[in-house]
Amino acid sequence: MFYKPKPKENLDLRNKLFLEKGILALKEQGFEKSPFKSDWYGRTNQNDFSYTLYRLEKDNELQKIETHILRNENWIQIRLNIFQITPKINSLEELKESDGLKFQLPPNSLSEMRLRSDTYNCIPLFYMLFLPEHKIVQYFTKKGFNKRLKKLSELILKDMQNIDFYISRWKEKHSPKTINWKSETIEKTKNTAHNTV
């Protein structure tokens, strides 16, 4: 009979892994817990965990890492998005009274890139079969499960320590949207102003 951990155990192990490897590595790279009250940082309900972190870089570039760890799957889903903030801020603390919800909604969310899955430059079938992803892949025994969990842990640590590589890949595909403190795109704000004249 094949080994399969209980869904809660699988969830808790992946969450513990991300806290100990992913979150720690991101904080070492300058990322901080989201200042927005609308963002999750921990358990979202009885089944899932979500974590949203930001890093403020030069020229008011706001880099967002959002992670979802869901009960009924083997993945750790990590998504990257980047914005340009105006007017200028000196720290994330200045955004704590702002509305962060629109960072998660279209059109601002359309440039999200899922790490590994969206960064391979090959056909999906190839990377699904041969290239590493943020997933506990096939196993048949408890020993095999633990081995896969360890490999996932090592991959998460490596990728979070090298997050600037993924930021570079994101910039090859996208340009940051300019967003004001109210989380509205500057383009949308200009169009609204024009229409009311």
Side-chain angles (χ1 to χ4, degrees), residues 156-173:
I156 291 290
L157 177 61
K158 175 186 173 184
D159 284 352
M160 298 306 96
Q161 288 177 333
N162 293 285
I163 194 64
D164 287 338
F165 166 79
Y166 291 98
I167 288 171
S168 297
R169 294 300 296 270
W170 186 94
K171 290 180 178 179
E172 291 174 5
K173 299 182 177 183

Side-chain angles (χ1 to χ4, degrees), residues 2 8 12 15 17 44 138 173 183:
F2 296 136
K8 183 180 184 305
D12 290 343
N15 182 61
L17 180 163
T44 60
Q138 192 176 44
K173 299 182 177 183
S183 304

Side-chain angles (χ1 to χ4, degrees), residues 24-57:
L24 186 60
L26 285 170
K27 287 185 175 180
E28 289 174 350
Q29 304 299 315
F31 281 84
E32 304 174 35
K33 178 181 176 181
S34 171
F36 302 118
K37 295 177 182 177
S38 57
D39 286 335
W40 290 102
Y41 196 86
R43 189 180 291 275
T44 60
N45 51 45
Q46 293 184 349
N47 296 323
D48 308 318
F49 292 91
S50 288
Y51 300 92
T52 306
L53 297 95
Y54 285 90
R55 181 171 72 175
L56 181 64
E57 289 288 272

